[in-house]
Amino acid sequence: MFDFAPDPDASKADLYRDLLSAADALTAGEPDGVANMANVAALLGEFLPDCNWTGFYRMVNGELVLGPFTGRPACIRIPVGVGVCGAAAQSGETQLVEDVHAFPGHIACDARSRSELVVPIAKDGVVTAVIDLDSPKAGRFDREDRKGIEALAAMLTGRV
Ligand code: SME
């Protein structure tokens, strides 16, 4: 049994430290990328308050395809360059969107989503997947979230 419970009194920095340590313990040495994405999606859902969707899209034959996640069923295929995930995949850069209603081309998979953080996972400069977090609260994600999820994405390179 795994018991990676978040500390309810932890600061955001400590929460991300614990999340990364749990993700490392779960994925190190495990070669199956789907298993690793599934466990990390579950950890993100457990550790991050106020999120209605936490998960992955993978680059498959030049488009983003839904991967393991927590939340409501979502769009299956997203073209590169479309929506927040597609922008992250195209640019290779993190997209931190305080209000998705103001983001041109945002894809509303879940009408509850108001803010979103998408971080690409890249290997040798090529995006292989993105981590996508959605929140029903506008402005839910800040620089510390960005730093924490970028560190997670770096750790997952070659594991998903
Ligand atoms: N809103 C995303 C689509 C994926 S869902 O949020 C799970 C986007 O605009 O890329």
Side-chain angles (χ1 to χ4, degrees), residues 53 57 74-75 78 82-86 105-109 113 116 132 134:
W53 205 92
Y57 279 87
C75 320
I78 299 176
V82 176
V84 186
C85 291
H106 167 252
I107 302 165
C109 291
S113 299
E116 186 160 356
D132 182 16
D134 286 23

Side-chain angles (χ1 to χ4, degrees), residues 11-75:
S11 66
K12 213 179 239 195
D14 287 347
L15 196 71
Y16 277 108
R17 186 202 58 213
D18 293 349
L19 170 60
L20 255 75
S21 149
D24 191 28
L26 283 166
T27 60
E30 172 50 61
D32 192 287
V34 173
N36 289 338
M37 284 186 278
N39 265 333
V40 173
L43 280 179
L44 290 165
E46 282 279 301
F47 273 69
L48 302 182
D50 300 319
C51 287
N52 55 301
W53 205 92
T54 64
F56 293 84
Y57 279 87
R58 302 156 297 129
M59 279 294 256
V60 181
N61 297 327
E63 65 181 341
L64 289 168
V65 181
L66 183 64
F69 67 93
T70 69
R72 288 187 180 160
C75 320

Side-chain angles (χ1 to χ4, degrees), residues 111-129:
R112 296 172 301 174
S113 299
R114 282 299 306 280
S115 57
E116 186 160 356
L117 176 63
V118 182
V119 176
I121 298 173
K123 195 174 184 191
D124 302 326
V126 177
V127 174
T128 57

